[in-house]
Amino acid sequence: RSGAKSYTSELINVTFSDVAGLEEAKQELREVIDYLKDPKKFQQIGGKVPKGILLVGPPGTGKTLLARAVAGEAGVSFFSISASQFIEMFVGVGASRVRDLFSSARKAVPSIIFIDELDAVGRSRGAGFGGGHDEREQTLNQLLSEMDGFDPHEEVVVMAATNRPDVLDPALLRPGRFDRNVVIERPDWRDREKILKVHTRKIPLSADVDLAVIAKGTPGMTGADLEGLVNEGAIIAARENQTVVGLQHLERAKDKILMGGERHMVISD
Ligand code: ATP
């Protein structure tokens, strides 16, 4: 059981065109893509090779999507795990899962390792009981030592996501580890409109639907919320045997989300 594979590895077909907005973040990540596409060229020029990148932002804002899109753009293998999966009831499992993940990614270079919810293992050490024998600490120590073990020519980029950068152990942020931050903000209305466009690409909309109006009427909503809104609107239309999704369906979907009735269903991440 403890030896079970806990990460997923895949080739990704998501690209930046599937990620609406987030232009600055994409710009910062282009360098990573360039590197992964042709690591040798990058090394010859003597560019500083990106190793560890932390994506920071609220839940549902597209951090996972963006990391997948970097892998898709570069055409490299994507190894991902949610940090909460590192830690289970079996002592010692977390550290061995970290080892396993890194050794697999090293065999598949160039590759990306993506660790979601980094804060689940990355909280400051010594904050709890356990006195250094704590399972989570062992896992974190293993992660730190794997990252230190990279030689500069190892063609693996580690990306991680968190919405709690403030609780991370400072050791994680030292040079050579997660020394670059890419900040992801909640979308403004223009980006919300772009997100709605992406998620209605395959949905027939009636002529009365103006996505800009919906975007302006959904302040605070994230990409995940908006994806949920579109899905909910389509469900409402289908229930009424409509062949297109109209403004009223989307408005009702929005009300439902804002009232919180099905919020737990809509924001699934
Ligand atoms: P969490 O921190 O909860 O893991 P996250 O920031 O990783 O959240 P994602 O899982 O990437 O968020 O986003 C959830 C879903 O919301 C995505 O699969 C995508 O469908 C949609 N989404 C979020 N942001 C965007 C965006 N900028 N463009 C298009 N779709 C988006």
Side-chain angles (χ1 to χ4, degrees):
R1 176 68 180 71
S2 69
K5 199 172 142 191
S6 53
Y7 58 85
T8 57
S9 101
E10 50 190 325
L11 273 173
I12 305 276
N13 57 14
V14 172
T15 67
F16 274 177
S17 68
D18 300 297
V19 186
L22 304 181
E23 293 308 330
E24 267 178 52
K26 285 180 190 168
Q27 196 52 45
E28 289 178 60
L29 292 168
R30 287 215 184 272
E31 192 185 338
V32 178
I33 296 167
D34 289 344
Y35 165 67
L36 287 169
K37 271 185 168 165
D38 194 350
K40 303 280 179 294
K41 186 179 89 188
F42 216 88
Q43 287 154 5
Q44 274 161 15
I45 295 170
K48 191 173 176 297
V49 175
K51 285 276 108 180
I53 293 152
L54 191 60
L55 306 177
V56 176
T61 47
K63 299 183 293 298
T64 304
L65 181 67
L66 195 59
R68 292 170 63 83
V70 171
E73 290 281 339
V76 302
S77 330
F78 186 74
F79 292 78
S80 68
I81 192 166
S82 175
S84 55
Q85 287 167 258
F86 279 135
I87 303 166
E88 277 185 6
M89 51 201 124
F90 303 100
V91 175
V93 170
S96 77
R97 284 183 171 173
V98 171
R99 263 196 303 277
D100 191 27
L101 170 67
F102 276 74
S103 84
S104 303
R106 282 183 163 115
K107 286 180 199 139
V109 289
S111 56
I112 291 180
I113 293 175
F114 177 66
I115 304 171
D116 201 2
E117 300 176 68
L118 180 65
D119 43 285
V121 288
R123 281 172 188 270
S124 281
R125 288 166 293 183
F129 305 92
H133 299 292
D134 173 68
E135 167 71 357
R136 191 188 58 76
E137 278 188 27
Q138 278 183 26
T139 307
L140 173 56
N141 288 335
Q142 187 64 38
L143 175 60
L144 294 171
S145 89
E146 293 288 347
M147 291 189 80
D148 292 342
F150 281 132
D151 80 64
H153 296 290
E154 209 141 22
E155 294 153 7
V156 181
V157 171
V158 188
M159 300 179 78
T162 184
N163 52 6
R164 293 297 311 275
D166 53 308
V167 302
L168 292 180
D169 195 300
L172 276 167
L173 309 176
R174 293 211 184 107
R177 296 172 182 163
F178 294 102
D179 51 9
R180 282 205 217 178
N181 267 17
V182 173
V183 177
I184 316 277
E185 312 271 5
R186 275 176 201 277
D188 61 14
W189 79 263
R190 286 173 201 283
D191 282 349
R192 290 197 298 276
E193 182 183 6
K194 290 180 194 156
I195 293 169
L196 287 165
K197 277 200 181 124
V198 165
H199 288 284
T200 53
R201 280 197 293 222
K202 288 178 188 145
I203 292 186
L205 298 176
S206 77
D208 67 350
V209 175
D210 182 347
L211 294 178
V213 170
I214 298 178
K216 284 177 185 162
T218 47
M221 282 200 187
T222 62
D225 295 333
L226 294 165
E227 181 185 21
L229 186 152
V230 168
N231 288 338
E232 184 63 34
I235 289 168
I236 294 172
R239 252 191 236 133
E240 297 178 358
N241 302 315
Q242 303 295 309
T243 53
V244 293
V245 179
L247 179 62
Q248 55 130 337
H249 304 122
L250 294 172
E251 288 293 347
R252 277 153 62 199
K254 184 180 109 184
D255 290 345
K256 204 163 177 179
I257 291 168
L258 291 179
M259 286 193 308
E262 298 200 354
R263 199 174 171 89
H264 60 286
M265 291 178 59
V266 172
I267 311 174
S268 58
D269 55 1

